[in-house]
């Protein structure tokens, strides 16, 4: 099945790539909305299942935020074989984002650069969609952010938590996008402390009123200075976040060959793999492996997915790899992980998690 999908995508990719990146993105969303996507026909191998922050994941794969910004296709994402879906980044008010063109394919590099700027339809539209599909089950996270023109960005995150708490399996607090001016400043320890104080207080109030306690994950950038890792982790640990997503896109252009490298925005895809994995391993070591990590950045094969887990990831998210490899990548990764575990005589992903963290943590950022 994986080989069939990969061969089909090789035939379909030229037509998609004849469209602009945003047009191709929209075309894929419309196809999923119409039910045109490859279904997972087999049950996931139980060796890939795990319990993470109180949720039961049948496999560790999800599609990263930015694909389904408005909760249009979470069930299709689950139906393709992902263990979880994440919608967003979603802001309280609708916003159009930055001027077009704002997404660029770096074909020589298997990469993308985007400067979208949290374009989305706002809380209300996404909330209606999630309410309508709530009885279908599955793990669906909500990635929350702040409007560009907000006078109180902390309040925007709190509003997201309150509004989506009835329908979200978990929350990701996105403070690492490079495309909203000043957003990454929220990663500074003092600002992070203030933001998490407000978010965690809001969650405690919800729980005290009888609402479900939803896990809170914080998504950080791969461009954090080495000296800032320890104080950031200290703040995240002090507030007992449930998980850390490592990482978002990068502003660096190391090793990029395409002429589009000069475009402003965040770089994703193959060139991000080494940097994001090195950051992942540093975070894993800084937390002593006690906080679940979502490994994101540059995964384009089963081998790279396993390397993320060996560097410290508990869960994984894909995006740009799917653009270049197609939906067959999901099945390829799951098969590779299951085969690798059995070949090593292991019975769970936890057995190999972080075993190469020391190696990856020594790699340059």
């Amino acid at each position: 099945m994986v080989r069939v999908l990969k061969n089909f995508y090789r035939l379909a990719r030229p037509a998609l790539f004849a469209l602009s990146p945003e047009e191709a993105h929209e075309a894929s969303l419309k196809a999923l909305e119409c039910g045109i996507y490859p279904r997972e026909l087999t049950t996931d191998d139980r060796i890939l299942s795990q319990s993470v922050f109180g949720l039961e994941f049948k496999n560790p794969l999800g599609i990263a935020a930015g694909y389904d910004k408005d909760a249009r296709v979470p069930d299709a994402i689950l139906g393709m074989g992902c263990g979880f879906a994440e919608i967003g980044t979603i802001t309280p008010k609708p916003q159009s984002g930055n001027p077009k063109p704002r997404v660029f394919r770096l074909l020589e590099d298997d990469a993308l650069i985007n400067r979208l700027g949290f374009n989305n339809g706002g809380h209300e539209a996404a909330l209606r969609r999630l309410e309508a599909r709530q009885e279908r089950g599955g793990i669906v996270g909500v990635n929350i952010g702040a409007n560009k023109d907000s006078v109180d960005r902390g309040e925007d995150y709190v509003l997201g938590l309150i509004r989506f708490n009835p329908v979200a399996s978990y929350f990701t607090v996105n403070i690492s996008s490079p495309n909203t001016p000043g957003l990454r400043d929220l990663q500074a320890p003092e600002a992070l402390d203030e933001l998490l104080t407000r978010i965690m207080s809001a969650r405690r109030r919800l729980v005290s009123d009888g609402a479900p306690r939803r896990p809170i994950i914080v998504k950080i950038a791969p461009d954090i200075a080495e000296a800032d890792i320890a104080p950031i982790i200290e703040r995240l640990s002090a507030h007992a976040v449930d998980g850390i997503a490592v990482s978002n896109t990068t502003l660096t252009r190391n090793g990029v060959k395409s002429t589009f490298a000069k475009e402003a925005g965040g770089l994703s895809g193959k060139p991000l793999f080494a940097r994001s994995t090195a950051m992942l391993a540093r975070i894993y070591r800084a937390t002593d492996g006690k906080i679940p990590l979502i490994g994101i950045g540059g995964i384009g094969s089963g081998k790279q997915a396993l390397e993320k887990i060996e560097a410290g990831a508990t869960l994984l998210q894909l995006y740009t790899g799917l653009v270049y490899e197609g939906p067959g990548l999901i099945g390829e990764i799951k098969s590779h992980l299951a085969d690798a575990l059995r070949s090593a005589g292991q019975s769970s992903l936890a057995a190999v998690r972080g075993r190469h963290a020391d190696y990856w943590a020594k790699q340059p950022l």
Side-chain angles (χ1 to χ4, degrees):
M1 181 64 175
V2 171
R3 183 175 296 177
V4 170
L5 283 176
K6 289 183 80 71
N7 288 337
F8 176 78
Y9 191 70
R10 287 192 188 100
L11 295 173
R13 199 176 90 162
L16 278 173
F17 279 29
L19 303 172
S20 74
E22 280 202 71
E23 288 172 336
H25 178 213
E26 179 62 22
S28 72
L29 284 170
K30 286 182 176 176
L32 266 61
E33 285 179 316
C34 293
I36 305 170
Y37 58 87
R39 268 70 168 179
E40 179 62 63
L41 301 177
T42 59
T43 302
D44 278 322
D45 195 318
R46 290 185 61 82
I47 204 170
L48 300 180
S49 65
Q50 54 188 334
S51 178
V52 189
F53 32 77
L55 299 173
E56 300 299 322
F57 291 79
K58 64 179 183 178
N59 71 66
L61 289 186
I63 295 179
Y67 178 69
D68 186 13
K69 289 176 177 291
D70 293 306
R72 292 166 60 181
V73 293
D75 293 300
I77 288 170
L78 296 173
M80 287 194 295
C82 287
F84 64 109
E86 183 171 313
I87 71 103
T89 297
I90 193 82
T91 58
K93 296 184 295 184
Q95 60 183 31
S96 58
N98 294 320
K100 297 179 181 180
R102 53 194 181 178
V103 186
F104 306 89
R105 292 190 193 97
L106 286 65
L107 297 177
E108 306 96 316
D109 304 289
D110 286 355
L112 297 173
I113 288 175
N114 91 80
R115 50 173 181 263
L116 288 162
F118 285 175
N119 56 308
N120 73 99
H123 281 180
E124 294 305 323
L127 181 59
R128 287 195 301 271
R129 294 188 184 103
L130 291 178
E131 288 173 337
R133 57 86 46 205
Q134 195 170 6
E135 299 303 317
R136 297 173 196 153
I139 297 173
V140 179
V142 176
N143 186 301
I144 52 176
N147 281 112
K148 181 178 180 179
D149 61 357
S150 175
V151 296
D152 185 351
R153 286 180 170 170
E155 182 63 17
D156 283 9
Y157 288 98
V158 170
L159 282 173
L161 182 76
I162 293 170
R163 286 176 175 167
F164 288 95
N165 199 77
V167 296
S169 300
Y170 67 87
F171 287 97
T172 298
V173 177
N174 188 353
I175 53 173
S176 52
S177 170
N179 299 318
T180 296
L183 190 78
R184 285 189 172 189
D185 294 343
L186 293 173
Q187 294 176 131
E190 185 176 341
L192 182 60
D193 192 50
E194 180 183 351
L195 176 63
L196 288 177
T197 295
R198 295 175 70 174
I199 289 173
M200 296 304 186
S201 294
R203 182 172 69 173
R204 284 193 294 272
R205 289 195 300 272
L206 286 168
V207 172
S208 68
D209 290 339
R213 180 191 182 278
R214 304 302 190 190
I216 292 174
I217 295 134
V218 176
K219 188 170 187 175
I220 62 174
D223 303 332
I224 294 170
E226 191 123 20
D228 292 335
I229 293 174
I232 288 172
I233 295 303
E234 193 277 329
R235 290 295 82 209
L236 294 175
S237 299
H239 287 280
V241 300
D242 298 279
I244 306 171
V246 189
S247 61
N248 214 311
T249 57
T250 181
L251 292 174
T252 66
R253 299 293 187 263
N254 297 340
V256 176
K257 299 185 286 290
S258 171
T259 56
F260 285 122
K262 67 181 184 299
E263 294 290 347
L267 173 74
S268 62
K270 187 176 180 179
L272 179 57
F273 180 78
R275 184 181 189 89
S276 61
T277 308
M279 179 61 73
L280 174 75
R282 284 166 168 81
I283 301 299
Y284 179 81
R285 288 180 40 164
T287 59
D288 294 322
K290 295 177 180 177
I291 301 176
L293 307 181
I294 303 179
I296 314 165
I299 301 172
S301 68
K303 178 179 179 292
Q304 289 178 316
L306 179 60
E307 287 179 305
K308 286 281 190 190
I309 292 170
E310 291 172 331
T314 296
L315 300 170
L316 304 169
Q317 286 183 329
L318 316 172
Y319 190 165
T320 305
L322 289 169
V323 172
Y324 285 94
E325 300 297 327
L329 181 60
I330 296 168
E332 175 192 331
I333 288 174
K334 292 192 294 185
S335 294
H336 184 89
L337 292 178
D339 291 346
L341 289 176
R342 290 202 164 85
S343 295
Q346 304 296 347
S347 59
S348 70
L349 292 168
V352 300
R353 184 179 308 123
R355 67 179 179 180
H356 294 163
D358 288 348
Y359 165 80
W360 278 105
K362 294 174 184 175
Q363 304 309 303
L365 291 174

